[in-house]
Amino acid sequence: MDLTEVIDAYLVESEEFLRDMEAILLRTEKSSPTEDDLNAIFRAVHTIKGTAGMFGFDSTVKFTHVIENLLDRLRSHEIPFQQDLTEILLKAKDHLSYLVIEETKGKIPDSKILIGNSIIELMKPFQNPESENSLKKEIHKDNEAVRKSDELQAIVETDRTTNVNNQVDSIPGYLISFRPNRNVFSQGLDPISFIGYLKKLGTIKSLKTITDEIPTNDEFDAESCYLGFEIHFDSEEDINTIRKVFNFIENDSFLHILPPGTPIEYLADLSIQLPEEEILLGNLWKEIDILTNSSLISYFEELKSRKTGIIKNTSQSIIPNTTQETLNQVQENADLNLNLKDQNKSATIKVDSKRIDNLINRVGELVVSCANMNQLISTLEDSILQESSMHTMRLLNEVREISLKLRMVPIGDTFQKYTRTVRDLGKDLGKEINLITEGNETELDRNIVDKLGDPLTHLVRNACDHGLETTEERLRKGKPKLGTIKLNAFHEAGSVVIEITDDGNGIQKGIIWQKGIDKGLVSGPIPESEEEIFKLLFHPGFSTATKVTNVSGRGVGLDVVLKNIESLRGTITVKSTENQGSRFTIRLPLTLAIIDGFLVEVGKNHFIIPMDMVLECLHFTEENKTEANQFFPLRGNLIPYLRLGDYYPTEPSEETSRENIVIVRNGDKKAGIVVERLLGEYQTVIKPMGSVFRHVKGVSGSSILGDGNVALIIDIPSLFERTIAIENEKLYK
């Protein structure tokens, strides 16, 4: 059996649990955890333990068992929550993250096991010396249903002898009635795995699969689960331990567990809750040895009394009146569990990102094919065919938008992990730092988010180390002792903007420029343009740190940031005010797959300009050109411009045509691009450049046009920088 997909689901779920666990623990440094917080951490650890146990990941199970014991004592208020526990549990979370990932690949090295043991040693002062023996009896219940089930277990244990003396029928072992929800497969869950895990706690004496719900071939859905299970299970464990096996799947299923010694009367209650007929269930329970011949008769008599209203002789009843209310509450909880079966479940489906990428690639190919078809049809004088073609294109646009949204994810999850980064760096650097995140709901292409992690990490670390002052320095300057770093994301003009801001020292322009002179990168007096100064920060090996630390000082970081951002077709700019702080602004495209472009032509060559950067198109004549420099007068302002043919080799066309200028913008900057022909808006699929052309500046990709020709996609930000560099060379010469 191939478990690859199931293990992948385990990794994804574990990552989510551990991320939530870290977020809760970080909050405990500012305020004490609530009951819900402790329960959430416990459920996260316990669920990972249960799922890891199904796959036989023993190292993960052993480590989580110790954490689980500690968390259980906290939940049951046996020990108070202390600040020292935050640090210990964060270390435990980090080690658990390692175990979850690495144990799926193979055995954990002994050196890593020793690290886990050292963390366990830190937990010992908070552990109960007798916890290993008393854990099963003292564990705090997860919810009301579990607590009531435990009381039922106590009742049964107390009256087991009474059952024998009075010869009242009861069940010999655990009876587990398990009806997985129809949608469990779509959630990556396999009911058989949970049943198989029971073998670690005892013996499955007998099992019967219920197949009554399987529909006919015409109605059968291969992704739905139609099976139910009745299990006779023998174990020395208590009912809560048995129930925890199903914690991962219980909320989406009907699950009812009756412990050994439960009176037959409660089988009648259970049969009413199950979808099968009561008589069928009685015979089925006899088949799995839950009922004997005599107890089966008692079961039928109980059913008869329920239906006719004739009360049986209760002189031998073993249930005290004082416990009847508890048992009724157990039944009410079971009824509630049953009702969940009929409720509409979440429509969320987890899909492998590779499948979504494949879908988007296919949609991209469809865009190209449809563009080709439209181009051919436009040459025909057939209005009906042209109308049909336009309708197809509209539908394709909708499919494109829907498919792209499948890969859009909120950036909040990425922002969240920096809470831990800032907290740890603050302690290492002796600074008090507060991280504020805004725009967490801003959506971005998943592929961009995955590649954005390293650049953001560098910028956040730099803000902590270079940007913010120590507490003493801030107090001397009259600033609050708590430094602030802010991460903000928002949409702007078809792009996503991410800002990393701090209220620290700011960037000392004089020091930056002098460092550039010392390294031979620049010369002359400091320029007025901040942009020119701050560009030095992104030069490889450039650093203003006076000493090398574990965080920075080696001149490695911002150059990597720039390369990564440019590889995403993005830009990064810097603004800073001395003693007030700095702001790094990253501007990124929404997606890397498909863009709306504006198709232009120079000679016989085609180029595509990203549509979200195009402002307007105007006729260009020689009269528009000023004599001194290349500036275009636009409504009282002079806009710099360039001729596309001067920057890219083009094959001249035999036809003569008038020139046009396309006004584009990048952030708050405007410029003009002079071309020969304007061919209009064009949806294009971005194809990566070959390895030979991968590092060519000013080109972000290519696209295949409907007629088979190749068009280069212009990288406007890179073209801006290239133009500025050329103009600076002319100026200094």
Side-chain angles (χ1 to χ4, degrees):
M1 179 180 178
D2 186 8
L3 297 177
T4 303
E5 291 190 8
V6 183
I7 290 179
D8 287 344
Y10 159 67
L11 291 172
V12 172
E13 294 286 351
S14 298
E15 181 185 0
E16 292 177 0
F17 279 126
L18 291 170
R19 185 171 60 243
D20 293 342
M21 176 180 174
E22 181 178 84
I24 294 172
L25 288 173
L26 291 174
R27 289 203 303 267
T28 63
E29 291 189 316
K30 298 178 181 178
S31 60
S32 299
T34 63
E35 291 287 339
D36 290 340
D37 288 339
L38 294 175
N39 286 334
I41 299 174
F42 181 87
R43 281 194 298 271
V45 173
H46 178 73
T47 303
I48 293 173
K49 172 187 171 183
T51 313
M54 287 191 293
F55 295 117
F57 299 148
D58 292 335
S59 296
T60 303
V61 171
K62 291 177 182 177
F63 187 70
T64 50
H65 180 71
V66 180
I67 306 174
E68 195 179 43
N69 289 346
L70 173 59
L71 291 171
D72 184 64
R73 296 198 73 204
L74 290 170
R75 291 196 313 157
S76 58
H77 304 291
E78 293 181 26
I79 57 173
F81 190 90
Q82 304 174 34
Q83 288 299 318
D84 292 346
L85 285 173
T86 297
E87 187 69 35
I88 295 172
L89 288 173
L90 283 172
K91 290 180 179 179
K93 175 264 167 188
D94 292 340
H95 185 64
L96 184 53
S97 297
Y98 170 83
L99 292 177
V100 166
I101 296 173
E102 295 301 321
E103 199 163 14
T104 61
K105 303 175 183 178
K107 187 178 178 181
I108 301 297
D110 291 340
S111 59
K112 297 296 182 181
I113 297 295
L114 291 176
I115 293 176
N117 291 340
S118 66
I119 297 173
I120 291 173
E121 287 294 323
L122 296 175
M123 297 183 192
K124 276 191 174 180
F126 305 97
Q127 293 279 17
N128 184 349
E130 300 179 357
S131 60
E132 291 300 318
N133 298 324
S134 61
L135 176 62
K136 296 170 187 174
K137 295 180 182 178
E138 297 176 356
I139 189 167
H140 188 66
K141 312 306 178 289
D142 292 325
N143 51 49
E144 188 68 17
V146 174
R147 285 198 294 272
K148 300 307 178 183
S149 298
D150 189 57
E151 292 176 19
L152 176 57
Q153 172 78 17
I155 294 168
V156 171
E157 292 295 332
T158 303
D159 296 321
R160 191 184 296 273
T161 305
T162 309
N163 287 351
V164 176
N165 295 339
N166 291 292
Q167 299 180 346
V168 175
D169 290 322
S170 62
I171 65 176
Y174 282 103
L175 171 62
I176 303 175
S177 295
F178 181 33
R179 303 292 186 274
N181 195 274
R182 289 278 175 88
N183 65 352
V184 291
F185 294 153
S186 65
Q187 298 176 0
L189 302 176
D190 179 8
I192 301 300
S193 299
F194 294 89
I195 296 174
Y197 187 73
L198 286 171
K199 296 178 182 179
K200 293 182 176 290
L201 303 179
T203 304
I204 298 177
K205 305 286 287 185
S206 187
L207 181 147
K208 187 69 175 178
T209 304
I210 311 296
T211 59
D212 295 355
E213 296 292 323
I214 297 179
T216 60
N217 291 340
D218 295 337
E219 299 176 352
F220 185 82
D221 180 6
E223 295 184 355
S224 296
C225 178
Y226 299 101
L227 303 179
F229 305 93
E230 292 293 322
I231 307 169
H232 179 183
F233 183 59
D234 186 25
S235 175
E236 296 298 323
E237 304 289 347
D238 61 41
I239 190 171
N240 293 314
T241 304
I242 306 300
R243 180 179 291 277
K244 285 177 182 177
V245 172
F246 300 92
N247 265 9
F248 204 54
I249 197 174
E250 182 176 3
N251 289 337
D252 287 326
S253 306
F254 172 80
L255 176 71
H256 200 97
I257 304 174
L258 294 178
T262 299
I264 298 303
E265 286 87 345
Y266 293 97
L267 286 181
D269 295 332
L270 177 59
S271 67
I272 296 173
Q273 302 170 36
L274 293 170
E276 294 79 22
E277 293 291 334
E278 292 92 336
I279 295 177
L280 173 65
L281 287 168
N283 290 324
L284 189 149
W285 287 330
K286 180 178 181 299
E287 189 175 340
I288 63 174
D289 296 327
I290 284 293
L291 294 177
T292 62
N293 288 330
S294 61
S295 59
L296 179 61
I297 294 173
S298 299
Y299 167 73
F300 286 143
E301 287 180 350
E302 180 65 25
L303 288 178
K304 180 180 178 181
S305 68
R306 301 284 179 93
K307 293 181 181 296
T308 62
I310 301 174
I311 301 175
K312 297 191 305 178
N313 180 11
T314 57
S315 60
Q316 293 183 339
S317 175
I318 67 164
I319 306 298
N321 293 333
T322 55
T323 64
Q324 191 61 44
E325 180 181 354
T326 297
L327 297 175
N328 289 339
Q329 290 177 356
V330 174
Q331 181 174 336
E332 289 174 6
N333 288 326
D335 290 340
L336 179 60
N337 199 2
L338 178 62
N339 291 336
L340 290 175
K341 185 177 180 180
D342 299 324
Q343 295 177 357
N344 292 329
K345 300 299 178 183
S346 172
T348 301
I349 300 176
K350 292 183 179 178
V351 181
D352 189 343
S353 61
K354 292 180 181 178
R355 294 185 180 181
I356 297 178
D357 291 342
N358 190 36
L359 170 65
I360 293 176
N361 289 336
R362 291 293 179 268
V363 171
E365 298 298 333
L366 192 57
V367 168
V368 174
S369 298
C370 195
N372 185 21
M373 181 186 69
N374 286 341
Q375 188 171 352
L376 294 174
I377 291 175
S378 64
T379 62
L380 304 176
E381 295 182 0
D382 188 334
S383 60
I384 297 177
L385 185 58
Q386 290 176 354
E387 183 179 350
S388 177
S389 172
M390 294 300 296
H391 180 65
T392 302
M393 198 64 191
R394 281 197 300 270
L395 293 176
L396 180 58
N397 286 338
E398 293 179 10
V399 173
R400 186 197 74 147
E401 294 298 327
I402 293 172
S403 61
L404 288 177
K405 286 180 180 178
L406 292 176
R407 208 164 64 181
M408 303 296 279
V409 296
I411 200 170
D413 290 342
T414 301
F415 280 177
Q416 180 181 312
K417 70 178 183 179
Y418 296 112
T419 305
R420 175 73 182 280
T421 302
V422 168
R423 178 248 185 203
D424 290 345
L425 282 175
K427 290 199 168 189
D428 292 342
L429 299 170
K431 300 178 180 180
E432 297 185 37
I433 308 174
N434 179 39
L435 177 67
I436 299 174
T437 61
E438 294 180 357
N440 294 324
E441 69 287 348
T442 303
E443 291 189 334
L444 194 59
D445 190 309
R446 177 60 181 263
N447 290 344
I448 296 179
V449 171
D450 290 342
K451 296 175 183 178
L452 196 58
D454 287 343
L456 284 181
T457 299
H458 281 301
L459 293 174
V460 170
R461 289 169 66 88
N462 274 359
C464 292
D465 189 22
H466 290 303
L468 296 178
E469 311 95 330
T470 62
T471 303
E472 294 77 13
E473 288 180 88
R474 293 182 66 85
L475 292 175
R476 281 200 304 269
K477 293 179 180 180
K479 293 184 177 182
K481 68 175 182 179
L482 187 66
T484 299
I485 295 176
K486 184 189 212 179
L487 295 176
N488 184 26
F490 55 91
H491 289 127
E492 183 181 271
S495 302
V496 173
V497 179
I498 301 173
E499 296 179 338
I500 302 93
T501 309
D502 68 72
D503 64 346
N505 277 313
I507 301 174
Q508 314 296 315
K509 300 172 192 174
I511 295 177
I512 297 292
W513 191 254
Q514 184 59 47
K515 193 78 172 182
I517 294 175
D518 295 342
K519 284 183 168 288
L521 301 175
V522 293
S523 60
I526 185 169
E528 294 182 3
S529 171
E530 287 187 348
E531 183 177 356
E532 189 175 344
I533 299 171
F534 293 150
K535 274 184 181 178
L536 293 172
L537 295 171
F538 299 95
H539 194 281
F542 192 92
S543 176
T544 58
T546 55
K547 62 179 180 179
V548 176
T549 68
N550 292 332
V551 180
S552 60
R554 299 186 184 275
V556 179
L558 288 182
D559 63 316
V560 176
V561 170
L562 181 61
K563 288 178 182 177
N564 288 345
I565 297 301
E566 288 181 342
S567 70
L568 296 173
R569 305 202 327 269
T571 61
I572 180 169
T573 57
V574 184
K575 289 188 176 181
S576 179
T577 303
E578 292 187 17
N579 291 321
Q580 292 185 24
S582 305
R583 173 181 295 149
F584 287 76
T585 302
I586 300 172
R587 191 177 299 272
L588 296 164
L590 284 174
T591 178
L592 299 177
I594 304 173
I595 65 168
D596 289 323
F598 189 76
L599 187 62
V600 299
E601 190 176 28
V602 178
K604 293 183 179 179
N605 299 90
H606 295 85
F607 300 89
I608 295 173
I609 302 172
M611 193 66 190
D612 54 30
M613 293 185 174
V614 176
L615 292 178
E616 57 183 312
C617 301
L618 301 168
H619 177 52
F620 184 82
T621 63
E622 287 299 321
E623 289 77 14
N624 297 132
K625 180 179 178 181
T626 60
E627 294 182 359
N629 294 299
Q630 293 190 170
F631 288 96
F632 179 80
L634 180 66
R635 291 184 289 275
N637 295 317
L638 291 178
I639 305 297
Y641 72 89
L642 58 87
R643 294 180 183 273
L644 207 55
D646 294 341
Y647 287 84
Y648 301 96
T650 58
E651 184 180 354
S653 174
E654 298 176 358
E655 301 178 5
T656 58
S657 61
R658 70 176 190 176
E659 289 185 314
N660 300 277
I661 184 169
V662 181
I663 307 299
V664 297
R665 71 173 175 184
N666 177 36
D668 55 356
K669 300 176 184 176
K670 293 181 182 179
I673 299 176
V674 178
V675 299
E676 293 180 4
R677 281 170 291 279
L678 306 173
L679 302 180
E681 187 175 350
Y682 186 83
Q683 285 188 341
T684 181
V685 182
I686 300 175
K687 298 290 185 182
M689 302 291 288
S691 57
V692 177
F693 307 100
R694 189 170 297 165
H695 301 293
V696 175
K697 295 289 185 181
V699 178
S700 60
S702 62
S703 179
I704 302 174
L705 302 179
D707 59 2
N709 288 321
V710 174
L712 296 179
I713 300 173
I714 303 301
D715 183 0
I716 297 298
S718 177
L719 194 61
F720 272 37
E721 291 183 6
R722 184 178 174 188
T723 304
I724 293 171
I726 292 175
E727 292 300 322
N728 285 340
E729 288 181 7
K730 292 180 181 178
L731 182 64
Y732 286 115
K733 283 181 180 178

